[in-house]
Amino acid sequence: YREMTVLTRTNAQAGDLAASLLRRDIPHTVSEARGLLTRPEVKDALAYLRLLGDPRDALALFRVLTHPALGIPAADRARLLSELRRTPDVALAFLERPTVQAALTTSSREGIARLTELLERHLNGFRTLRPSTVYLEFLERSEIVQHAIRESDRHPEVLPNLQAFLAYIRALEQGITDGDFLEFLELLDAAADSGQGPSAADLSPETDAVRLLTIHAAKGLEFPVVFVIGATADRYPARGRRRLLELPPALVPASAAFEDLDDREAQVLEERRLFY
């Protein structure tokens, strides 16, 4: 796997492909300018944290319930989703509903019991607990960490990304008033919604995983096998750039030839250079 790379034009394309590789158990790492908050394992943790801020967030609840660490089979997940859509409720009331419990297998009830215990603790105490403490307890008591360790051969990026997210949470904690959990959630949501945030964890080049790179991040690198995806109209050359990036003449002497070209022609030349 480490001999292969997939080059994309945008970070969004890399994120879409990462989800597909994850479903197929293909080890991979995403190298991009930011990207940590778009990783599936981080989105799982984000869903739990958002559930504490809004216990009626059905999407967040369902994302947490579908994590493999809870051991809920696909058939039970479908039943839970159907029940949740039909009669939405706050998270704890839904999980403790007799009709929900009666329809589930033993393994599902065990996973939901762990989640219910966590929610009861954190919903009652999240205003006094530090966000990093809530996050760590969620990872440990839900058995997500144990699951990530078991899957580390196939998904080596998960544990480093969970660790990187912990560091990011601790950094955000420094900017909130008296450990205000809701203020922390606002900062976290603003970073996720705006596409800001830290980079995903960088794995060692020796890690046996496919590298997903934007073409900007791939400069100077070489791989035996390279896939360039999305090589279509409006990607190469890209549309919508308002002005060209100005290149220092010392680095690109040929840029003097751009003087007689209109902006669109000059952009095509620069995009061709980037593509090559």
Side-chain angles (χ1 to χ4, degrees), residues 26-135:
I26 296 176
H28 62 279
T29 178
V30 183
S31 297
E32 50 184 308
R34 292 181 289 273
L36 181 65
L37 301 185
T38 67
R39 292 294 307 163
E41 57 273 11
V42 172
K43 283 186 173 182
D44 294 335
L46 277 169
Y48 181 78
L49 296 174
R50 284 171 173 154
L51 195 56
L52 299 181
D54 179 9
R56 289 187 177 272
D57 190 334
L59 287 176
L61 174 59
F62 189 68
R63 181 165 190 122
V64 175
L65 287 171
T66 57
H67 196 288
L70 292 180
I72 301 176
D76 280 356
R77 293 200 299 267
R79 292 189 192 98
L80 289 166
L81 178 59
S82 176
E83 179 88 6
L84 193 56
R85 282 175 169 167
R86 187 168 57 251
T87 54
D89 204 347
V90 295
L92 273 176
F94 173 77
L95 295 176
E96 294 173 343
R97 193 183 295 169
T99 54
V100 170
Q101 291 288 329
L104 299 178
T105 61
T106 301
S107 65
S108 294
R109 286 196 291 268
E110 290 173 353
I112 286 178
R114 294 201 305 274
L115 180 58
T116 301
E117 182 183 347
L118 267 174
L119 283 170
E120 286 177 342
R121 168 172 166 74
H122 291 152
L123 285 171
N124 290 327
F126 75 88
R127 294 181 184 276
T128 57
L129 292 171
R130 296 182 67 82
S132 55
T133 300
V134 172
Y135 172 67

Side-chain angles (χ1 to χ4, degrees), residues 200-223:
D202 210 3
L203 298 182
S204 162
E206 298 305 312
T207 302
D208 194 20
V210 176
R211 263 57 177 181
L212 304 187
L213 299 165
T214 64
I215 53 175
H216 289 89
K219 293 175 182 176
L221 302 180
E222 294 184 0
F223 293 87

